[in-house]
Amino acid sequence: MSSVAALSTPSAGARLEPAMIETRDLRDDDVRIDVKFAGICHSDIHQVREEWGSATFPMVPGHEIAGVVSEVGPAVTRYAVGDRVGVGCMVDSCGECEFCKDGEEQFCTKGSVATYNGRGYDGEETKGGYSRQVVVSERFAVRIPDALELDVAAPLLCAGITTYTPLKRWNAGPGRKVAVIGLGGLGHMAVKIAVAMGAEVTVLSRTLAKREDGLALGASSYVATEDPDAMAGLVKSFDVIINTVSANLSMDTYLRLLRPLGALVNVGLPTDSWTVRPGSLVGGSRVLAGSNIGGIPATQEMLDFCAENGIGAQIETIGADEVNEAYDRVVAGDVRYRFVIDTATIAVG
Ligand code: NAP
Ligand code: ZN
């Protein structure tokens, strides 16, 4: 085992503070990664604040990890020391079930292992990317193309893949109208990716405060959801709506913005239940759907797509001592559009 500096929280809702943690000795197929940047996803905040139910503490969050391979186990074939790699939300899966064989490891029947706030098949608690180093199987590392800087690539490992997956599945592309609800970390990536796929994109944000940014990201229109007249003008407009909001919204309100056969896909993960009027779905044979991150092959495909299209996240880089304040700013909607921790600033003592 070796000790590395990380940002850890001792209990639900407590502050993240520097602490030394142990990384495991390299297994045959492991790579050690010197983490350079770690994105702050709203899911980190949900878990640190125990909003998704019982969590494991002390917790080192972080599942938007970009870094450089610094050591490889003897059976590693895909990566060499010096390679630029990323790690997202999973670090293991059975590798044998139908979903793993299909490259949909997030649906592993044995249960995929979460990058942090999870437990490996060896029984050890997992620790995430707010850390100077992580050790993972090479099967769960993806290659970051040279065209992407590591800081703007880090958020792609969750925000990128989580939005790429439903946009691809629901055929965002030329001739298709896509709306994105919420212009935060996931939302701004959804806009960039849908535009690059060729779709016509509308941002649905609470106010017009971020309108200029939304249009600069490539959206062709931008509507304040707090404006009832503007919302009324959007009825039956969209083929696909991606809901990235971290709080509960009225599904009926947004389902009526779908054209017949359209899909409202939820990626935001608040915990309260919805009620939905059956007529909101049946009327236009509409689909109310969800989407959970994406598999490892799709994550590599997404990174290659982003590199080819010159897409990185729009980030604000912060030091380790700014992380707790950054959490409050994310919850307050005061982030444009992803905080990324420069992990070189994590030091103990
Ligand atoms: P974020 O950066 O905080 O963005 C969320 C956006 O939602 C905000 O920018 C804001 O957009 C809008 N919003 C926030 N509070 C709202 C409220 N009370 N009412 C209406 N709109 C509100 O968060 P994120 O990192 O993108 O994550 C978004 C959600 O996706 C979280 O719940 C996260 O856990 C979840 N998530 C899911 C997956 C998955 O696999 N499905 C993966 C990653 C994250 P405007 O200011 O533009 O209105
Ligand atoms: Zn995430």
Side-chain angles (χ1 to χ4, degrees):
M1 297 218 283
S2 59
S3 290
V4 300
L7 287 173
S8 178
T9 185
S11 58
R15 290 173 63 81
L16 285 149
E17 301 287 355
M20 296 306 290
I21 62 163
E22 303 294 332
T23 57
R24 69 174 179 240
D25 291 334
L26 258 61
R27 297 176 187 151
D28 287 357
D29 67 340
D30 274 348
V31 291
R32 181 180 298 280
I33 300 168
D34 287 348
V35 180
K36 301 296 182 191
F37 297 97
I40 294 180
C41 177
H42 206 119
S43 300
D44 300 342
I45 302 171
H46 288 310
Q47 290 175 87
V48 162
R49 298 186 176 176
E50 226 172 26
E51 293 168 355
W52 285 348
S54 179
T56 306
F57 295 94
M59 184 191 295
V60 178
H63 59 207
E64 294 187 336
I65 302 169
V68 176
V69 174
S70 58
E71 194 182 350
V72 296
V76 167
T77 57
R78 299 182 197 181
Y79 301 109
V81 170
D83 283 354
R84 304 161 83 249
V85 293
V87 177
C89 299
M90 301 177 281
V91 289
D92 208 356
S93 72
C94 82
E96 289 163 5
C97 72
E98 56 175 314
F99 297 106
C100 287
K101 283 188 177 145
D102 276 354
E104 300 276 13
E105 297 88 350
Q106 70 277 29
F107 307 131
C108 173
T109 52
K110 187 175 171 184
S112 59
V113 176
T115 303
Y116 69 89
N117 191 25
R119 199 173 284 280
Y121 296 151
D122 59 1
E124 291 295 314
E125 288 164 10
T126 53
K127 304 260 186 262
Y130 297 6
S131 176
R132 299 291 289 266
Q133 293 185 338
V134 291
V135 173
V136 296
S137 161
E138 66 167 340
R139 292 181 295 118
F140 287 83
V142 283
R143 192 174 293 279
I144 296 179
D146 289 341
L148 290 172
E149 296 296 335
L150 292 179
D151 52 359
V152 300
L156 303 180
L157 275 302
C158 176
I161 185 62
T162 300
T163 50
Y164 181 85
T165 304
L167 287 167
K168 187 175 171 194
R169 176 175 173 192
W170 299 99
N171 301 317
R176 302 269 288 173
K177 293 190 175 173
V178 172
V180 175
I181 317 176
L183 196 65
L186 266 57
H188 94 288
M189 287 312 310
V191 173
K192 285 188 172 205
I193 291 170
V195 168
M197 287 176 170
E200 187 182 320
V201 180
T202 296
V203 176
L204 303 177
S205 181
R206 286 169 291 181
T207 69
L208 294 179
K210 294 177 276 191
R211 183 171 180 275
E212 269 179 37
D213 289 349
L215 298 180
L217 292 169
S220 51
S221 65
Y222 196 106
V223 170
T225 56
E226 289 175 358
D227 177 347
D229 294 339
M231 289 290 279
L234 294 178
V235 169
K236 294 189 183 163
S237 289
F238 304 111
D239 300 294
V240 187
I241 301 176
I242 308 286
N243 176 20
T244 74
V245 173
S246 48
N248 243 8
L249 299 180
S250 154
M251 289 297 107
D252 293 317
T253 299
Y254 291 94
L255 284 166
R256 71 195 179 103
L257 306 190
L258 286 173
R259 286 152 51 89
L261 304 173
L264 168 55
V265 189
N266 288 277
V267 292
L269 270 172
T271 47
D272 294 341
S273 303
W274 307 305
T275 54
V276 180
R277 282 192 312 110
S280 299
L281 294 168
V282 174
S285 295
R286 297 175 173 116
V287 180
L288 179 58
S291 189
N292 180 23
I293 53 172
I296 298 300
T299 304
Q300 186 65 62
E301 179 185 301
M302 174 277 308
L303 285 170
D304 295 343
F305 175 88
C306 287
E308 278 160 26
N309 288 280
I311 296 174
Q314 194 161 318
I315 60 168
E316 187 174 332
T317 306
I318 59 169
D321 57 348
E322 297 170 282
V323 169
N324 295 295
E325 183 197 347
Y327 271 32
D328 292 337
R329 285 183 53 195
V330 171
V331 173
D334 178 24
V335 52
R336 298 193 181 196
Y337 282 88
R338 200 55 140 186
F339 287 115
V340 169
I341 305 164
D342 176 355
T343 55
T345 62
I346 303 175
V348 175

PDB file of all heavy atoms in Angstrom, residues 155-183:
ATOM      1  N   PRO A 155     -14.228  16.655 -16.707  1.00  0.00           N
ATOM      2  CA  PRO A 155     -15.696  16.563 -16.566  1.00  0.00           C
ATOM      3  C   PRO A 155     -16.375  15.672 -17.613  1.00  0.00           C
ATOM      4  O   PRO A 155     -17.515  15.256 -17.413  1.00  0.00           O
ATOM      5  CB  PRO A 155     -16.158  18.023 -16.723  1.00  0.00           C
ATOM      6  CG  PRO A 155     -14.963  18.834 -16.317  1.00  0.00           C
ATOM      7  CD  PRO A 155     -13.790  18.058 -16.842  1.00  0.00           C
ATOM      8  N   LEU A 156     -15.665  15.371 -18.683  1.00  0.00           N
ATOM      9  CA  LEU A 156     -16.282  14.499 -19.695  1.00  0.00           C
ATOM     10  C   LEU A 156     -16.499  13.099 -19.129  1.00  0.00           C
ATOM     11  O   LEU A 156     -17.393  12.371 -19.580  1.00  0.00           O
ATOM     12  CB  LEU A 156     -15.398  14.427 -20.950  1.00  0.00           C
ATOM     13  CG  LEU A 156     -15.080  15.759 -21.625  1.00  0.00           C
ATOM     14  CD1 LEU A 156     -14.205  15.527 -22.859  1.00  0.00           C
ATOM     15  CD2 LEU A 156     -16.358  16.496 -22.015  1.00  0.00           C
ATOM     16  N   LEU A 157     -15.709  12.730 -18.119  1.00  0.00           N
ATOM     17  CA  LEU A 157     -15.785  11.352 -17.599  1.00  0.00           C
ATOM     18  C   LEU A 157     -17.107  11.056 -16.903  1.00  0.00           C
ATOM     19  O   LEU A 157     -17.472   9.901 -16.716  1.00  0.00           O
ATOM     20  CB  LEU A 157     -14.602  11.085 -16.666  1.00  0.00           C
ATOM     21  CG  LEU A 157     -13.292  10.639 -17.339  1.00  0.00           C
ATOM     22  CD1 LEU A 157     -13.489   9.370 -18.151  1.00  0.00           C
ATOM     23  CD2 LEU A 157     -12.684  11.702 -18.208  1.00  0.00           C
ATOM     24  N   CYS A 158     -17.832  12.110 -16.483  1.00  0.00           N
ATOM     25  CA  CYS A 158     -19.201  11.873 -16.006  1.00  0.00           C
ATOM     26  C   CYS A 158     -20.179  12.755 -16.785  1.00  0.00           C
ATOM     27  O   CYS A 158     -21.060  12.257 -17.468  1.00  0.00           O
ATOM     28  CB  CYS A 158     -19.345  12.075 -14.503  1.00  0.00           C
ATOM     29  SG  CYS A 158     -21.066  11.888 -13.989  1.00  0.00           S
ATOM     30  N   ALA A 159     -20.012  14.075 -16.699  1.00  0.00           N
ATOM     31  CA  ALA A 159     -20.973  14.958 -17.370  1.00  0.00           C
ATOM     32  C   ALA A 159     -21.022  14.678 -18.871  1.00  0.00           C
ATOM     33  O   ALA A 159     -22.089  14.725 -19.494  1.00  0.00           O
ATOM     34  CB  ALA A 159     -20.612  16.423 -17.120  1.00  0.00           C
ATOM     35  N   GLY A 160     -19.884  14.362 -19.465  1.00  0.00           N
ATOM     36  CA  GLY A 160     -19.836  14.097 -20.903  1.00  0.00           C
ATOM     37  C   GLY A 160     -20.557  12.815 -21.268  1.00  0.00           C
ATOM     38  O   GLY A 160     -21.476  12.801 -22.093  1.00  0.00           O
ATOM     39  N   ILE A 161     -20.176  11.722 -20.626  1.00  0.00           N
ATOM     40  CA  ILE A 161     -20.777  10.432 -20.992  1.00  0.00           C
ATOM     41  C   ILE A 161     -22.249  10.373 -20.603  1.00  0.00           C
ATOM     42  O   ILE A 161     -23.072   9.777 -21.325  1.00  0.00           O
ATOM     43  CB  ILE A 161     -19.976   9.249 -20.389  1.00  0.00           C
ATOM     44  CG1 ILE A 161     -20.535   7.901 -20.881  1.00  0.00           C
ATOM     45  CG2 ILE A 161     -19.934   9.281 -18.881  1.00  0.00           C
ATOM     46  CD1 ILE A 161     -20.456   7.678 -22.378  1.00  0.00           C
ATOM     47  N   THR A 162     -22.625  11.013 -19.511  1.00  0.00           N
ATOM     48  CA  THR A 162     -24.022  10.949 -19.056  1.00  0.00           C
ATOM     49  C   THR A 162     -24.960  11.652 -20.041  1.00  0.00           C
ATOM     50  O   THR A 162     -26.135  11.283 -20.155  1.00  0.00           O
ATOM     51  CB  THR A 162     -24.142  11.566 -17.652  1.00  0.00           C
ATOM     52  OG1 THR A 162     -23.311  10.819 -16.769  1.00  0.00           O
ATOM     53  CG2 THR A 162     -25.567  11.546 -17.142  1.00  0.00           C
ATOM     54  N   THR A 163     -24.460  12.629 -20.750  1.00  0.00           N
ATOM     55  CA  THR A 163     -25.310  13.325 -21.725  1.00  0.00           C
ATOM     56  C   THR A 163     -25.135  12.741 -23.135  1.00  0.00           C
ATOM     57  O   THR A 163     -26.085  12.674 -23.906  1.00  0.00           O
ATOM     58  CB  THR A 163     -25.021  14.840 -21.708  1.00  0.00           C
ATOM     59  OG1 THR A 163     -23.608  15.062 -21.815  1.00  0.00           O
ATOM     60  CG2 THR A 163     -25.501  15.447 -20.397  1.00  0.00           C
ATOM     61  N   TYR A 164     -23.935  12.283 -23.446  1.00  0.00           N
ATOM     62  CA  TYR A 164     -23.691  11.666 -24.765  1.00  0.00           C
ATOM     63  C   TYR A 164     -24.587  10.438 -24.956  1.00  0.00           C
ATOM     64  O   TYR A 164     -25.175  10.242 -26.039  1.00  0.00           O
ATOM     65  CB  TYR A 164     -22.217  11.266 -24.845  1.00  0.00           C
ATOM     66  CG  TYR A 164     -21.778  10.628 -26.147  1.00  0.00           C
ATOM     67  CD1 TYR A 164     -21.407  11.408 -27.237  1.00  0.00           C
ATOM     68  CD2 TYR A 164     -21.700   9.233 -26.272  1.00  0.00           C
ATOM     69  CE1 TYR A 164     -20.974  10.823 -28.422  1.00  0.00           C
ATOM     70  CE2 TYR A 164     -21.274   8.641 -27.458  1.00  0.00           C
ATOM     71  CZ  TYR A 164     -20.919   9.444 -28.523  1.00  0.00           C
ATOM     72  OH  TYR A 164     -20.498   8.855 -29.699  1.00  0.00           O
ATOM     73  N   THR A 165     -24.707   9.622 -23.918  1.00  0.00           N
ATOM     74  CA  THR A 165     -25.443   8.356 -24.035  1.00  0.00           C
ATOM     75  C   THR A 165     -26.902   8.565 -24.457  1.00  0.00           C
ATOM     76  O   THR A 165     -27.349   7.978 -25.452  1.00  0.00           O
ATOM     77  CB  THR A 165     -25.361   7.565 -22.716  1.00  0.00           C
ATOM     78  OG1 THR A 165     -23.990   7.369 -22.395  1.00  0.00           O
ATOM     79  CG2 THR A 165     -26.053   6.223 -22.811  1.00  0.00           C
ATOM     80  N   PRO A 166     -27.699   9.371 -23.736  1.00  0.00           N
ATOM     81  CA  PRO A 166     -29.099   9.533 -24.170  1.00  0.00           C
ATOM     82  C   PRO A 166     -29.226  10.322 -25.469  1.00  0.00           C
ATOM     83  O   PRO A 166     -30.156  10.073 -26.248  1.00  0.00           O
ATOM     84  CB  PRO A 166     -29.758  10.270 -23.002  1.00  0.00           C
ATOM     85  CG  PRO A 166     -28.643  10.955 -22.287  1.00  0.00           C
ATOM     86  CD  PRO A 166     -27.440  10.059 -22.462  1.00  0.00           C
ATOM     87  N   LEU A 167     -28.308  11.249 -25.728  1.00  0.00           N
ATOM     88  CA  LEU A 167     -28.411  11.995 -26.995  1.00  0.00           C
ATOM     89  C   LEU A 167     -28.211  11.040 -28.167  1.00  0.00           C
ATOM     90  O   LEU A 167     -28.907  11.126 -29.184  1.00  0.00           O
ATOM     91  CB  LEU A 167     -27.371  13.127 -27.027  1.00  0.00           C
ATOM     92  CG  LEU A 167     -27.705  14.309 -26.115  1.00  0.00           C
ATOM     93  CD1 LEU A 167     -26.491  15.230 -25.942  1.00  0.00           C
ATOM     94  CD2 LEU A 167     -28.896  15.094 -26.677  1.00  0.00           C
ATOM     95  N   LYS A 168     -27.302  10.098 -28.013  1.00  0.00           N
ATOM     96  CA  LYS A 168     -27.078   9.117 -29.085  1.00  0.00           C
ATOM     97  C   LYS A 168     -28.264   8.152 -29.165  1.00  0.00           C
ATOM     98  O   LYS A 168     -28.795   7.888 -30.250  1.00  0.00           O
ATOM     99  CB  LYS A 168     -25.772   8.369 -28.812  1.00  0.00           C
ATOM    100  CG  LYS A 168     -25.383   7.459 -29.951  1.00  0.00           C
ATOM    101  CD  LYS A 168     -24.034   6.817 -29.738  1.00  0.00           C
ATOM    102  CE  LYS A 168     -23.841   5.758 -30.816  1.00  0.00           C
ATOM    103  NZ  LYS A 168     -22.744   4.850 -30.527  1.00  0.00           N
ATOM    104  N   ARG A 169     -28.687   7.644 -28.017  1.00  0.00           N
ATOM    105  CA  ARG A 169     -29.766   6.651 -28.023  1.00  0.00           C
ATOM    106  C   ARG A 169     -31.050   7.213 -28.629  1.00  0.00           C
ATOM    107  O   ARG A 169     -31.778   6.508 -29.323  1.00  0.00           O
ATOM    108  CB  ARG A 169     -30.034   6.195 -26.588  1.00  0.00           C
ATOM    109  CG  ARG A 169     -31.210   5.248 -26.498  1.00  0.00           C
ATOM    110  CD  ARG A 169     -31.411   4.693 -25.110  1.00  0.00           C
ATOM    111  NE  ARG A 169     -32.643   3.925 -25.059  1.00  0.00           N
ATOM    112  CZ  ARG A 169     -33.216   3.494 -23.937  1.00  0.00           C
ATOM    113  NH1 ARG A 169     -32.645   3.754 -22.772  1.00  0.00           N
ATOM    114  NH2 ARG A 169     -34.331   2.815 -23.975  1.00  0.00           N
ATOM    115  N   TRP A 170     -31.331   8.490 -28.350  1.00  0.00           N
ATOM    116  CA  TRP A 170     -32.581   9.084 -28.822  1.00  0.00           C
ATOM    117  C   TRP A 170     -32.376   9.917 -30.093  1.00  0.00           C
ATOM    118  O   TRP A 170     -33.196  10.772 -30.430  1.00  0.00           O
ATOM    119  CB  TRP A 170     -33.242   9.901 -27.695  1.00  0.00           C
ATOM    120  CG  TRP A 170     -33.583   9.021 -26.522  1.00  0.00           C
ATOM    121  CD1 TRP A 170     -32.868   8.868 -25.378  1.00  0.00           C
ATOM    122  CD2 TRP A 170     -34.702   8.132 -26.404  1.00  0.00           C
ATOM    123  NE1 TRP A 170     -33.465   7.940 -24.552  1.00  0.00           N
ATOM    124  CE2 TRP A 170     -34.596   7.480 -25.156  1.00  0.00           C
ATOM    125  CE3 TRP A 170     -35.794   7.819 -27.242  1.00  0.00           C
ATOM    126  CZ2 TRP A 170     -35.525   6.537 -24.714  1.00  0.00           C
ATOM    127  CZ3 TRP A 170     -36.716   6.889 -26.790  1.00  0.00           C
ATOM    128  CH2 TRP A 170     -36.572   6.260 -25.549  1.00  0.00           C
ATOM    129  N   ASN A 171     -31.258   9.631 -30.769  1.00  0.00           N
ATOM    130  CA  ASN A 171     -31.036  10.140 -32.132  1.00  0.00           C
ATOM    131  C   ASN A 171     -30.981  11.655 -32.251  1.00  0.00           C
ATOM    132  O   ASN A 171     -31.571  12.233 -33.164  1.00  0.00           O
ATOM    133  CB  ASN A 171     -32.117   9.614 -33.096  1.00  0.00           C
ATOM    134  CG  ASN A 171     -32.126   8.114 -33.140  1.00  0.00           C
ATOM    135  OD1 ASN A 171     -31.054   7.508 -33.184  1.00  0.00           O
ATOM    136  ND2 ASN A 171     -33.299   7.505 -33.101  1.00  0.00           N
ATOM    137  N   ALA A 172     -30.268  12.298 -31.353  1.00  0.00           N
ATOM    138  CA  ALA A 172     -30.003  13.727 -31.572  1.00  0.00           C
ATOM    139  C   ALA A 172     -29.152  13.818 -32.833  1.00  0.00           C
ATOM    140  O   ALA A 172     -28.186  13.082 -32.981  1.00  0.00           O
ATOM    141  CB  ALA A 172     -29.256  14.308 -30.381  1.00  0.00           C
ATOM    142  N   GLY A 173     -29.521  14.663 -33.745  1.00  0.00           N
ATOM    143  CA  GLY A 173     -28.764  14.774 -34.992  1.00  0.00           C
ATOM    144  C   GLY A 173     -29.460  15.740 -35.914  1.00  0.00           C
ATOM    145  O   GLY A 173     -30.428  16.418 -35.520  1.00  0.00           O
ATOM    146  N   PRO A 174     -29.006  15.821 -37.156  1.00  0.00           N
ATOM    147  CA  PRO A 174     -29.596  16.768 -38.101  1.00  0.00           C
ATOM    148  C   PRO A 174     -31.101  16.560 -38.229  1.00  0.00           C
ATOM    149  O   PRO A 174     -31.586  15.419 -38.274  1.00  0.00           O
ATOM    150  CB  PRO A 174     -28.881  16.440 -39.414  1.00  0.00           C
ATOM    151  CG  PRO A 174     -27.582  15.829 -38.996  1.00  0.00           C
ATOM    152  CD  PRO A 174     -27.872  15.083 -37.736  1.00  0.00           C
ATOM    153  N   GLY A 175     -31.838  17.654 -38.236  1.00  0.00           N
ATOM    154  CA  GLY A 175     -33.293  17.574 -38.392  1.00  0.00           C
ATOM    155  C   GLY A 175     -34.030  17.309 -37.095  1.00  0.00           C
ATOM    156  O   GLY A 175     -35.266  17.256 -37.087  1.00  0.00           O
ATOM    157  N   ARG A 176     -33.312  17.142 -36.003  1.00  0.00           N
ATOM    158  CA  ARG A 176     -33.968  16.832 -34.727  1.00  0.00           C
ATOM    159  C   ARG A 176     -33.837  18.024 -33.780  1.00  0.00           C
ATOM    160  O   ARG A 176     -32.793  18.678 -33.707  1.00  0.00           O
ATOM    161  CB  ARG A 176     -33.324  15.607 -34.093  1.00  0.00           C
ATOM    162  CG  ARG A 176     -33.380  14.394 -35.002  1.00  0.00           C
ATOM    163  CD  ARG A 176     -34.604  13.560 -34.769  1.00  0.00           C
ATOM    164  NE  ARG A 176     -34.514  12.841 -33.516  1.00  0.00           N
ATOM    165  CZ  ARG A 176     -35.526  12.138 -32.999  1.00  0.00           C
ATOM    166  NH1 ARG A 176     -36.702  12.099 -33.626  1.00  0.00           N
ATOM    167  NH2 ARG A 176     -35.376  11.487 -31.863  1.00  0.00           N
ATOM    168  N   LYS A 177     -34.927  18.262 -33.056  1.00  0.00           N
ATOM    169  CA  LYS A 177     -34.943  19.380 -32.113  1.00  0.00           C
ATOM    170  C   LYS A 177     -34.769  18.852 -30.691  1.00  0.00           C
ATOM    171  O   LYS A 177     -35.562  18.033 -30.229  1.00  0.00           O
ATOM    172  CB  LYS A 177     -36.256  20.141 -32.238  1.00  0.00           C
ATOM    173  CG  LYS A 177     -36.369  20.849 -33.581  1.00  0.00           C
ATOM    174  CD  LYS A 177     -37.551  21.786 -33.616  1.00  0.00           C
ATOM    175  CE  LYS A 177     -37.525  22.558 -34.930  1.00  0.00           C
ATOM    176  NZ  LYS A 177     -38.700  23.370 -35.131  1.00  0.00           N
ATOM    177  N   VAL A 178     -33.750  19.360 -30.039  1.00  0.00           N
ATOM    178  CA  VAL A 178     -33.388  18.895 -28.708  1.00  0.00           C
ATOM    179  C   VAL A 178     -33.492  20.065 -27.729  1.00  0.00           C
ATOM    180  O   VAL A 178     -33.054  21.166 -28.038  1.00  0.00           O
ATOM    181  CB  VAL A 178     -31.934  18.355 -28.697  1.00  0.00           C
ATOM    182  CG1 VAL A 178     -31.466  18.046 -27.281  1.00  0.00           C
ATOM    183  CG2 VAL A 178     -31.810  17.109 -29.579  1.00  0.00           C
ATOM    184  N   ALA A 179     -34.078  19.814 -26.565  1.00  0.00           N
ATOM    185  CA  ALA A 179     -34.045  20.805 -25.483  1.00  0.00           C
ATOM    186  C   ALA A 179     -33.264  20.240 -24.317  1.00  0.00           C
ATOM    187  O   ALA A 179     -33.304  19.034 -24.055  1.00  0.00           O
ATOM    188  CB  ALA A 179     -35.458  21.169 -25.045  1.00  0.00           C
ATOM    189  N   VAL A 180     -32.555  21.115 -23.636  1.00  0.00           N
ATOM    190  CA  VAL A 180     -31.791  20.727 -22.456  1.00  0.00           C
ATOM    191  C   VAL A 180     -32.303  21.552 -21.283  1.00  0.00           C
ATOM    192  O   VAL A 180     -32.281  22.785 -21.335  1.00  0.00           O
ATOM    193  CB  VAL A 180     -30.281  20.993 -22.670  1.00  0.00           C
ATOM    194  CG1 VAL A 180     -29.505  20.695 -21.386  1.00  0.00           C
ATOM    195  CG2 VAL A 180     -29.746  20.170 -23.837  1.00  0.00           C
ATOM    196  N   ILE A 181     -32.788  20.875 -20.243  1.00  0.00           N
ATOM    197  CA  ILE A 181     -33.274  21.587 -19.054  1.00  0.00           C
ATOM    198  C   ILE A 181     -32.137  21.680 -18.039  1.00  0.00           C
ATOM    199  O   ILE A 181     -31.575  20.649 -17.641  1.00  0.00           O
ATOM    200  CB  ILE A 181     -34.473  20.887 -18.385  1.00  0.00           C
ATOM    201  CG1 ILE A 181     -35.500  20.393 -19.407  1.00  0.00           C
ATOM    202  CG2 ILE A 181     -35.139  21.834 -17.382  1.00  0.00           C
ATOM    203  CD1 ILE A 181     -36.652  19.596 -18.772  1.00  0.00           C
ATOM    204  N   GLY A 182     -31.812  22.923 -17.644  1.00  0.00           N
ATOM    205  CA  GLY A 182     -30.763  23.160 -16.650  1.00  0.00           C
ATOM    206  C   GLY A 182     -29.422  23.369 -17.308  1.00  0.00           C
ATOM    207  O   GLY A 182     -28.885  22.466 -17.961  1.00  0.00           O
ATOM    208  N   LEU A 183     -28.868  24.561 -17.174  1.00  0.00           N
ATOM    209  CA  LEU A 183     -27.552  24.817 -17.767  1.00  0.00           C
ATOM    210  C   LEU A 183     -26.497  24.805 -16.662  1.00  0.00           C
ATOM    211  O   LEU A 183     -26.005  25.836 -16.216  1.00  0.00           O
ATOM    212  CB  LEU A 183     -27.539  26.151 -18.527  1.00  0.00           C
ATOM    213  CG  LEU A 183     -26.346  26.313 -19.476  1.00  0.00           C
ATOM    214  CD1 LEU A 183     -26.391  25.299 -20.607  1.00  0.00           C
ATOM    215  CD2 LEU A 183     -26.259  27.723 -20.034  1.00  0.00           C
TER     216      LEU A 183
END
